[in-house]
Amino acid sequence: MKFHEMNETEVEQALNTDVSTGLTDDDVKKRRSQYGKNELEEGEKQSALLLFFSQFKDFMVLVLLAATLISGLLGEYIDAIAIIAIVIINGLLGFFQERKAERSLQALKELSAPQVSVLRDGEWIKIPSKDVVVGDLLKFSSGDRVGADVRIIESNSLEVEESALTGESLPVSKITSAIKKSNIGIGDMENMAFMSTLVTRGSGLGIVVATGMKTAMGQIADLLQNAETMTTPLQRRLEQLGKILITVALILTMLVVVAGVIQGHDLYTMFLAGVSLAVAAIPEGLPAIVTVALSLGVQRMIKKKAIVRKLPAVETLGCASVICSDKTGTMTQNKMTVTHLWSGGKQWLVDGVGYEPQGKFYRNDNQVEPKEEKALQQMLMFGMLCNHAEINRKENEYVIDGDPTEGALLVAAMKAGYNRDTLLSQFHIMKEFPFDSERKMMSIIVKDQHGKQYVVTKGAPDVLGAVCESILWDGKRKLLNREAAGHIQKAIEDLASQALRTIAIGVKELSPNTIILDEKEAEKGLTFIGLQGMIDPPRPEVKDAVKECKEAGIKTVMITGDHVITAKAIAKQLGILTNKSKVLDGKALSEMNVDELEEVVDDVAVFARVSPEHKLKIVKALQNKGHIVAMTGDGVNDAPAIKAADIGVAMGITGTDVAKEASALVLLDDNFATIKAAIKEGRNIYENIRKFIRYLLASNVGEILVMLFAMILGLPLPLVPIQILWVNLVTDGLPAMALGLDQPEDNVMKRKPRNPREGVFARGLGWKVVSRGFLIGVATLLAFIFAYHSNPDNLAYAQTVAFATLVLAQLIHVFDCRSEKSVFARNPLGNKYLVWAVISSLLLLFVVIYYSPLQPIFHTVPIEMKDWLMITGLAAVPTFLLAGSFLLTKRK
């Protein structure tokens, strides 16, 4: 027998506890050793040392370490030191970023750690929830989070919001009697309360029946252990790039060595030249620059209220093709708000959202003064009187203390200018009959300033309507006949079709000296005043965010545990659900396997009444269709799907610890619109990464071809290894990092998401790398040949000219990399960081050439002014030759 099937005595006996005194210290120690602490398992935490060394697992980094070893063995110690330095910098950047994100999340977790009231040795004390054990007696009231899974033994108008577990935004009324049903869901266990759910109304006592991983939350968290963590598209692309570069480097190295030996060069010299060429083929700065670009993106996201837990997360979100979002608290405000009112055949609308008491009333599109219309006045006034909620202002925000439904009624009356304290001075509450789940009503008896007594009742419209004898119609009390009942029923259906939850208000005047003994006597012969329709409204900014995502080719899918009608209404308001899209509920999902779901999943915009297992199935079906899936949410029920998705996004304020731990991105403001900003940032970061990959590889192709062509032509080496390394680390590095700071192009959010299978060299990038690289190589070789033939006895001068030409050609080419089209497509001064990076690289080039202490190290000599004209002219050819075709096309 499960605990919800037992009565209070049976629960006490099963757990060997006493609700009158609670557990003793000895009991607590024994049970803690038996059950462990009341915490969710987080998995093994990686030590700082292991986290640091994990940064060096990248394929390209391992190859660079091998190059370091070879350079060291050959006596090229400067080369070796330079390579190892860039590898260590790369590792440190990744290490510190991941540690910073984890510390931010830990701080969030500590802020949310709840305290609970527990009975120990006959005294009520406050302890951290992690110290609760099975058999403890917990006390909780409005505003508290339940510290463990408990069987409720006392309920005083107790209501608990369980959206973190079930997805349902409305609170559940709690009872104490046993429920004699074995196979029921969490949402139907009305005599149970679960870890981390929120008490919204009333108070209660409960016996702890499960802690830690044995709780409902813990069982869902356990699904995370089996959820597969996906590698990101960027990781896959860079791994692919690394393999291509290594293959090319090995082939070219062997060609150069063989060609040189055939031409009579000694093997050692040619082997050294081969290693130099391998160094030229591998962009040593690429891992570090990728890390820097991602880190800078992460810093920008922190300013936009998002914590990135893993560096590639922003980039991955940028290529997402589907966003699966929870409704409650993510797309909606999780604040019930009255929007429609009906009485006597008239309907009013009220604007304003959330708990801020600001809004206007309208009828037939005309603004009205609510206190001038009797029916509306009574409905709002009595809704405020028959109410336990309070609205408080904290840090420029209005928050509710109590039940969200009552809060909505309270705010509606406040919008009309009513004040609860003022009303209570006019109407003295004599007696109250609290709401319970069987009656579905709450009533109070009040006495006004003239001594008249009234019964005021609010509750479910069908139940309250059944105990009414009359209806307020045109300001007068009339018999509630079949016709009037039909009007009420139609109004209820109209409001329900708009996904509004309806609360009815009834009242009756009591005869003088009437004594009401019970609720049955009070709640009969009422006059039906009207209906208040409320909904958890969408966040105002979400509609625009959904629209922009749609323009960017990203589909937004709503996944919720809420009812189909409510989900459809919100989805239509947000532009998620169109005439062509479908809605699927949990029942239909349960009857489908993943393959069957795959066939229809692209057509579905809303999934309603879903469970955690359903969410995993949805994410898997979308991934099998080739989508990059982002899953947003805040509840424990979202966590398994958050982890299984390509990128998981958790809410920082309302999100549970489990959801945050499963996620790659945490939104500190719980704002869906922040996801749109992350998408834009992610797309720009990926485009910037493509820009500097294009720049670095075109530069490296130029270096390779200079060396290869020189070997084939039987010329001396145009560049020495230290010059190649200088170009790769300094000349390439600074401008490449500046490209990582480039602003997005105007159409970044107008493009469709890139294909997740898209290679690094897609969209013509490979041709651009080869063509520009070829021209850079040819220009550099021509400069070397001209200088060498002018003075064959001074090889160092020719090598310095080639070195300067290569550097200058790359610094001009970097401006071409800012656009997919041409160097003329964007303002060259638009990226101030790039301008300063180019100026810095030029100054460093002059220092290496003209500063005498550095000349022996870099094998340079001063270049005469007449040769700079040749160098500049040849360096400009690779960029401006191919850019001319863009200008001709543009003119046509």
Side-chain angles (χ1 to χ4, degrees):
M1 185 184 295
K2 296 179 180 177
F3 288 109
H4 69 268
E5 298 176 72
M6 301 180 186
N7 59 35
E8 179 183 335
T9 305
E10 289 171 332
V11 174
E12 280 189 85
Q13 290 174 349
L15 298 176
N16 190 25
T17 189
D18 185 348
V19 298
S20 60
T21 61
L23 299 176
T24 65
D25 288 341
D26 288 340
D27 291 333
V28 171
K29 288 177 184 177
K30 289 176 184 175
R31 296 184 188 214
R32 185 165 296 133
S33 63
Q34 181 180 353
Y35 298 106
K37 284 195 171 185
N38 183 31
E39 294 177 317
L40 300 180
E41 293 174 8
E42 298 180 7
E44 292 184 14
K45 287 278 187 182
Q46 201 171 25
S47 70
L49 190 62
L50 285 175
L51 182 63
F52 176 69
F53 283 117
S54 71
Q55 309 299 317
F56 302 97
K57 294 190 295 184
D58 181 82
F59 184 62
M60 197 180 301
V61 172
L62 293 175
V63 172
L64 290 176
L65 291 173
T68 306
L69 180 63
I70 293 171
S71 297
L73 292 174
L74 293 174
E76 300 296 324
Y77 300 117
I78 295 176
D79 291 18
I81 292 169
I83 297 172
I84 201 70
I86 206 73
V87 169
I88 291 172
I89 290 170
N90 174 58
L92 288 171
L93 283 168
F95 169 76
F96 285 120
Q97 184 56 49
E98 290 192 25
R99 290 284 287 180
K100 183 177 180 180
E102 290 300 331
R103 282 197 296 270
S104 300
L105 283 162
Q106 187 60 36
L108 279 175
K109 187 174 179 180
E110 288 170 2
L111 285 173
S112 63
Q115 296 272 316
V116 296
S117 294
V118 61
L119 185 65
R120 296 271 176 88
D121 287 322
E123 292 185 14
W124 287 103
I125 58 172
K126 282 265 188 184
I127 63 170
S129 62
K130 66 180 181 180
D131 294 332
V132 169
V133 296
V134 171
D136 265 330
L137 186 69
L138 297 189
K139 178 167 65 175
F140 31 80
S141 56
S142 179
D144 290 342
R145 288 207 176 268
V146 181
D149 285 6
V150 301
R151 168 66 168 85
I152 296 166
I153 62 170
E154 185 179 307
S155 173
N156 301 309
S157 303
L158 180 65
E159 292 186 5
V160 181
E161 187 218 300
E162 299 175 343
S163 62
L165 283 171
T166 65
E168 290 278 8
S169 58
L170 294 175
V172 179
S173 297
K174 294 300 181 180
I175 62 176
T176 59
S177 55
I179 301 173
K180 298 297 183 180
K181 295 178 184 176
S182 55
N183 295 318
I184 58 174
I186 286 174
D188 297 319
M189 293 184 184
E190 296 176 343
N191 59 5
M192 299 283 293
F194 302 97
M195 175 190 269
S196 285
T197 56
L198 180 66
V199 178
T200 58
R201 180 183 178 189
S203 61
L205 299 177
I207 302 173
V208 175
V209 298
T211 58
M213 294 300 288
K214 298 294 184 182
T215 61
M217 178 184 279
Q219 289 169 20
I220 295 176
D222 193 48
L223 290 173
L224 297 176
Q225 307 301 322
N226 303 316
E228 195 175 334
T229 303
M230 308 292 291
T231 57
T232 72
L234 180 63
Q235 289 169 326
R236 295 194 287 269
R237 297 290 80 80
L238 289 180
E239 186 178 349
Q240 176 196 50
L241 175 61
K243 290 176 180 177
I244 292 170
L245 293 175
I246 299 312
T247 304
V248 170
L250 291 174
I251 292 171
L252 289 174
T253 301
M254 287 187 289
L255 279 174
V256 170
V257 172
V258 171
V261 171
I262 290 173
Q263 290 182 2
H265 293 287
D266 66 275
L267 182 61
Y268 177 82
T269 302
M270 291 320 303
F271 188 71
L272 185 60
V275 171
S276 300
L277 197 59
V279 170
I282 301 171
E284 289 86 349
L286 183 60
I289 294 169
V290 169
T291 304
V292 168
L294 289 171
S295 297
L296 292 170
V298 165
Q299 297 308 314
R300 289 194 291 269
M301 287 310 302
I302 288 173
K303 292 177 182 177
K304 294 175 183 176
K305 305 292 185 183
I307 292 178
V308 179
R309 297 187 65 206
K310 300 290 180 182
L311 281 180
V314 177
E315 178 274 334
T316 313
L317 189 57
C319 69
S321 56
V322 176
I323 300 175
C324 295
S325 176
D326 187 44
K327 176 183 73 68
T328 304
T330 308
M331 291 185 157
T332 64
Q333 301 183 41
N334 207 11
K335 297 175 180 179
M336 294 300 289
T337 305
V338 172
T339 57
H340 292 64
L341 302 106
W342 181 93
S343 179
K346 298 178 182 179
Q347 182 168 286
W348 297 267
L349 303 181
V350 57
D351 62 15
V353 293
Y355 296 134
E356 185 174 1
Q358 300 292 328
K360 296 175 182 177
F361 292 78
Y362 298 88
R363 182 163 181 263
N364 298 329
D365 295 328
N366 296 315
Q367 187 177 339
V368 298
E369 177 54 51
K371 290 187 178 180
E372 292 177 1
E373 304 206 20
K374 184 178 179 182
L376 183 55
Q377 176 188 349
Q378 289 193 19
M379 186 161 38
L380 293 167
M381 184 177 67
F382 290 135
M384 176 176 263
L385 273 175
C386 191
N387 201 310
H388 285 292
E390 291 183 9
I391 300 293
N392 301 305
R393 188 165 185 173
K394 295 180 180 177
E395 297 180 359
N396 298 321
E397 183 183 4
Y398 290 90
V399 295
I400 183 177
D401 181 7
D403 177 74
T405 301
E406 290 194 329
L409 299 176
L410 192 64
V411 172
M414 292 169 73
K415 287 176 181 178
Y418 287 103
N419 180 283
R420 184 172 169 81
D421 291 336
T422 303
L423 277 183
L424 289 175
S425 68
Q426 298 168 357
F427 294 90
H428 177 61
I429 298 177
M430 309 291 292
K431 196 166 189 176
E432 178 182 329
F433 300 104
F435 177 89
D436 69 48
S437 56
E438 292 179 11
R439 285 170 36 247
K440 295 185 178 178
M441 289 188 289
M442 169 189 173
S443 296
I444 58 172
I445 299 174
V446 298
K447 180 186 287 187
D448 70 9
Q449 294 168 311
H450 306 291
K452 291 183 179 180
Q453 293 189 80
Y454 300 90
V455 174
V456 181
T457 303
K458 76 169 189 293
D462 54 340
V463 178
L464 192 143
V467 296
C468 286
E469 290 181 354
S470 57
I471 182 172
L472 190 67
W473 198 276
D474 291 332
K476 298 178 182 177
R477 186 165 165 262
K478 292 186 176 181
L479 183 68
L480 182 57
N481 54 25
R482 184 177 294 179
E483 182 184 1
H487 287 304
I488 294 173
Q489 186 57 38
K490 185 177 184 305
I492 293 170
E493 290 171 359
D494 286 345
L495 295 175
S497 69
Q498 299 173 68
L500 298 172
R501 185 189 184 195
T502 49
I503 295 292
I505 307 292
V507 68
K508 74 174 176 181
E509 184 178 346
L510 298 175
S511 302
N513 302 318
T514 301
I515 298 175
I516 302 290
L517 297 175
D518 58 33
E519 59 266 23
K520 186 176 279 189
E521 187 180 351
E523 295 166 350
K524 69 179 181 179
L526 299 170
T527 298
F528 193 94
I529 301 295
L531 301 165
Q532 296 200 41
M534 61 190 69
I535 195 169
D536 177 12
R539 291 176 177 266
E541 64 278 2
V542 170
K543 186 173 183 179
D544 287 338
V546 169
K547 183 181 177 183
E548 286 197 46
C549 287
K550 189 177 289 186
E551 289 174 351
I554 302 162
K555 180 182 177 183
T556 304
V557 177
M558 179 186 287
I559 302 181
T560 178
D562 222 333
H563 292 277
V564 172
I565 293 175
T566 306
K568 283 175 69 175
I570 296 292
K572 281 182 179 177
Q573 288 183 46
L574 295 174
I576 294 171
L577 186 64
T578 65
N579 294 331
K580 295 181 181 178
S581 48
K582 297 178 181 178
V583 178
L584 211 60
D585 64 14
K587 184 179 179 183
L589 269 173
S590 297
E591 295 169 357
M592 291 181 175
N593 57 35
V594 174
D595 292 337
E596 290 169 333
L597 181 57
E598 273 183 57
E599 295 177 11
V600 298
V601 73
D602 280 336
D603 300 322
V604 181
V606 177
F607 293 92
R609 304 300 283 171
V610 298
S611 68
E613 292 77 12
H614 290 149
K615 293 185 178 187
L616 280 170
K617 187 187 288 186
I618 294 163
V619 170
K620 202 68 182 172
L622 286 166
Q623 288 174 333
N624 290 350
K625 291 285 283 187
H627 290 290
I628 295 292
V629 182
M631 173 69 195
T632 74
D634 55 3
V636 177
N637 60 325
D638 299 323
I642 284 174
K643 186 172 183 181
D646 296 276
I647 179 162
V649 186
M651 302 298 127
I653 299 173
T654 59
T656 58
D657 290 337
V658 176
K660 291 170 191 172
E661 289 294 333
S663 68
L665 191 71
V666 179
L667 305 182
L668 296 180
D669 57 359
D670 287 13
N671 195 334
F672 183 88
T674 305
I675 300 167
K676 177 207 70 181
I679 289 171
K680 185 173 183 179
E681 190 66 53
R683 288 190 172 193
N684 187 45
I685 284 174
Y686 186 77
E687 291 307 311
N688 286 349
I689 288 171
R690 275 173 54 88
K691 288 174 189 176
F692 59 65
I693 285 176
R694 170 183 166 183
Y695 171 63
L696 290 175
L697 295 191
S699 302
N700 287 15
V701 166
E703 295 163 25
I704 291 167
L705 294 180
V706 168
M707 302 290 283
L708 185 60
F709 291 160
M711 290 295 100
I712 293 171
L713 295 173
L715 295 169
L717 292 178
L719 300 164
V720 297
I722 190 65
Q723 290 172 347
I724 293 174
L725 202 62
W726 171 270
V727 172
N728 282 5
L729 299 183
V730 180
T731 305
D732 290 355
L734 290 175
M737 286 188 183
L739 281 176
L741 291 168
D742 214 7
Q743 292 299 310
E745 295 187 61
D746 295 336
N747 64 344
V748 71
M749 286 299 283
K750 304 293 182 185
R751 307 171 191 164
K752 290 183 178 180
R754 66 182 182 276
N755 190 320
R757 298 179 185 86
E758 176 182 292
V760 174
F761 299 108
R763 291 182 270 148
L765 185 67
W767 161 248
K768 287 171 184 171
V769 167
V770 173
S771 61
R772 271 62 166 186
F774 175 81
L775 290 174
I776 289 171
V778 170
T780 304
L781 188 63
L782 287 173
F784 174 75
I785 290 172
F786 292 152
Y788 184 63
H789 282 297
S790 298
N791 190 359
D793 297 328
N794 193 349
L795 177 61
Y797 187 85
Q799 288 174 331
T800 306
V801 168
F803 175 50
T805 306
L806 179 65
V807 169
L808 198 57
Q810 292 182 6
L811 293 180
I812 295 172
H813 171 245
V814 74
F815 292 100
D816 190 29
C817 296
R818 292 189 63 224
S819 173
E820 294 275 341
K821 298 173 183 175
S822 161
V823 68
F824 299 114
R826 300 187 76 181
N827 179 0
L829 303 179
N831 184 341
K832 62 182 180 181
Y833 302 105
L834 182 60
V835 173
W836 283 112
V838 169
I839 292 172
S840 300
S841 294
L842 278 173
L843 290 174
L844 289 170
L845 173 66
F846 293 141
V847 169
V848 168
I849 292 174
Y850 293 104
Y851 184 53
S852 54
L854 293 179
Q855 290 171 348
I857 298 174
F858 290 96
H859 304 277
T860 56
V861 293
I863 297 174
E864 297 176 12
M865 287 304 297
K866 64 181 178 66
D867 287 325
W868 276 109
L869 290 174
M870 175 192 70
I871 290 169
T872 305
L874 286 171
V877 168
T879 296
F880 292 101
L881 182 67
L882 295 176
S885 61
F886 171 78
L887 286 178
L888 289 172
T889 307
K890 193 174 181 183
R891 284 174 184 172
K892 289 178 182 178

